[in-house]
Amino acid sequence: MISVRLFAVPALVALLGAGPVLAQQSLNGMITGNDVDRIAELARAYGTIERREDADGVWLRGEMDGIVYTISFLNCNDAHQECTSVQFRAWWESNGAHSMDRMNQWNRDRRFSAAYLDANNNATIEWDVNLAGGVTATNFDDSIQWWQAVVRQFREQVVDPGFEAAGMAPSAPSTSATPSAPPAARSK
């Protein structure tokens, strides 16, 4: 017979490990595409985050676990408001180290996220979150946790091995202001 303690100890450790994150923020209320500051607050529990703005509207630049990423507000009205989704994105300047085959394999094996080589052949991963009608703060925080797990796995299983196979040192993610994307990607 398996002891209940074998299950209780890992569960307790996981709960205590999540404690500081949960203690830093309130997970009450709803999140919509207009809640830029609230989304930044939730993301800040996992690393640095800063608000930025350009001609396409407001977006967030974050860093967690040494990985730079952005959160873009999508499907917005002409005033860049009432956005119904957000997109998490991270990318690495590949310099030819990553292949379409690896991106396709990632996409075949994963339910959450999409990986591709962008217009500059940079290894890129995205994660879309639907906010139409709003989601609970707890749900959005869970999405951030999924993003953290997915982007870590992408770095460990695709990015770093690609650089190593090409005889390059694993690279830090791109720190450029925004990833290359079609200009219409943020609007309806």
Side-chain angles (χ1 to χ4, degrees):
M1 176 177 260
I2 299 176
S3 168
V4 174
R5 283 188 216 184
L6 290 177
F7 295 109
V9 172
L12 181 60
V13 170
L15 181 60
L16 292 174
V21 171
L22 296 176
Q24 293 174 5
Q25 60 189 333
S26 167
L27 295 179
N28 297 324
M30 299 293 285
I31 302 293
T32 70
N34 289 330
D35 297 323
V36 176
D37 293 334
R38 183 78 166 107
I39 289 171
E41 174 191 342
L42 291 170
R44 192 169 287 113
Y46 301 91
T48 62
I49 194 91
E50 51 189 61
R51 182 183 176 130
R52 299 205 176 166
E53 191 166 350
D54 59 25
D56 291 322
V58 173
W59 55 282
L60 302 171
R61 180 194 180 279
E63 186 173 341
M64 64 172 60
D65 302 326
I67 300 170
V68 175
Y69 70 98
T70 60
I71 301 175
S72 298
F73 293 78
L74 305 176
N75 302 322
C76 308
N77 64 21
D78 291 339
H80 307 294
Q81 296 292 312
E82 307 301 326
C83 306
T84 60
S85 63
V86 294
Q87 183 178 78
F88 292 75
R89 180 184 292 168
W91 61 103
W92 287 258
E93 293 181 18
S94 291
N95 300 313
H98 301 96
S99 70
M100 187 61 70
D101 287 340
R102 294 290 293 179
M103 301 303 144
N104 287 340
Q105 180 180 352
W106 174 269
N107 291 329
R108 275 190 305 269
D109 295 344
R110 301 298 182 293
R111 179 176 168 198
F112 298 107
S113 74
Y116 60 92
L117 296 175
D118 70 9
N120 297 316
N121 285 323
N122 295 325
T124 304
I125 187 163
E126 295 177 346
W127 172 281
D128 294 332
V129 177
N130 180 0
L131 298 177
V135 298
T136 66
T138 300
N139 179 287
F140 194 82
D141 182 70
D142 187 61
S143 293
I144 297 169
Q145 290 176 44
W146 273 101
W147 167 248
Q148 184 178 37
V150 166
V151 78
R152 278 180 187 166
Q153 290 175 1
F154 185 70
R155 180 185 59 198
E156 293 166 0
Q157 297 173 16
V158 176
V159 173
D160 289 350
F163 283 126
E164 290 166 7
M168 304 170 162
S171 171
S174 175
T175 57
S176 60
T178 58
S180 58
R186 293 191 194 166
S187 59
K188 254 183 174 168

